[in-house]
Amino acid sequence: MTNMVSRLAWRILAYGCIGLGAAGLVVPLLPTTPFLLVAAWAAPKGSPRLARWLWGHPRIGPILHAWKSQRAIPRRAKRAAVALLVMSWLVLWLGGALPAVLGLTALMFCCVAAFVLSRPDAAPSFANSTPDRQC
């Protein structure tokens, strides 16, 4: 019984993070990649089928494999992340956010951008190929 409840909790976490990651594609200030990384971590504990789907997905899988094996981020993803950070900050600025919010957000976004840009570029074999089916 406890095992079933535990698996259900892991599955809920994985699906919830996939949902939040998907929402992050369109909602400013909501990151996508961290939620997908958490989903990839939680999925095997709750649903091996979901884990295989994530790791074998043509868009998500290569990024997960590059992160797992190299702690690398594809250059295209880096550019997209920094562009979305800038656009999110501009939305706050144009929306009339308080100066303190703008300053704290700018500091946080600069830290996130520095981290993303400091990661190595994913090797072409991870960025452009279809991954194997192993987790």
Side-chain angles (χ1 to χ4, degrees), residues 7-85:
R7 287 188 54 160
L8 179 63
W10 286 114
R11 195 175 305 143
I12 289 170
L13 177 62
Y15 278 110
C17 285
I18 291 170
L20 288 170
L25 294 172
V26 293
V27 176
L29 305 177
L30 187 63
T32 298
T33 304
F35 287 118
L36 292 178
L37 290 173
V38 171
W41 170 73
K45 296 165 179 61
S47 172
R49 190 175 107 195
L50 175 61
R52 283 190 303 276
W53 178 81
L54 276 172
W55 287 91
H57 191 277
R59 297 267 186 201
I60 300 168
I63 294 169
L64 293 175
H65 284 281
W67 180 257
K68 182 178 180 181
S69 67
Q70 304 172 347
R71 292 296 187 247
I73 301 172
R75 187 173 291 160
R76 182 176 178 200
K78 289 181 187 184
R79 284 192 296 255
V82 171
L84 289 171
L85 288 169

Side-chain angles (χ1 to χ4, degrees), residues 61-132:
I63 294 169
L64 293 175
H65 284 281
W67 180 257
K68 182 178 180 181
S69 67
Q70 304 172 347
R71 292 296 187 247
I73 301 172
R75 187 173 291 160
R76 182 176 178 200
K78 289 181 187 184
R79 284 192 296 255
V82 171
L84 289 171
L85 288 169
V86 169
M87 287 178 9
S88 296
W89 190 87
L90 288 173
V91 166
L92 288 173
W93 179 61
L94 293 172
L98 296 171
V101 171
L102 290 173
L104 288 173
T105 306
L107 178 64
M108 181 180 67
F109 283 3
C110 286
C111 290
V112 170
F115 175 78
V116 167
L117 294 173
S118 72
R119 301 299 92 204
D121 290 341
S125 62
F126 285 105
N128 298 323
S129 69
T130 57
D132 58 16

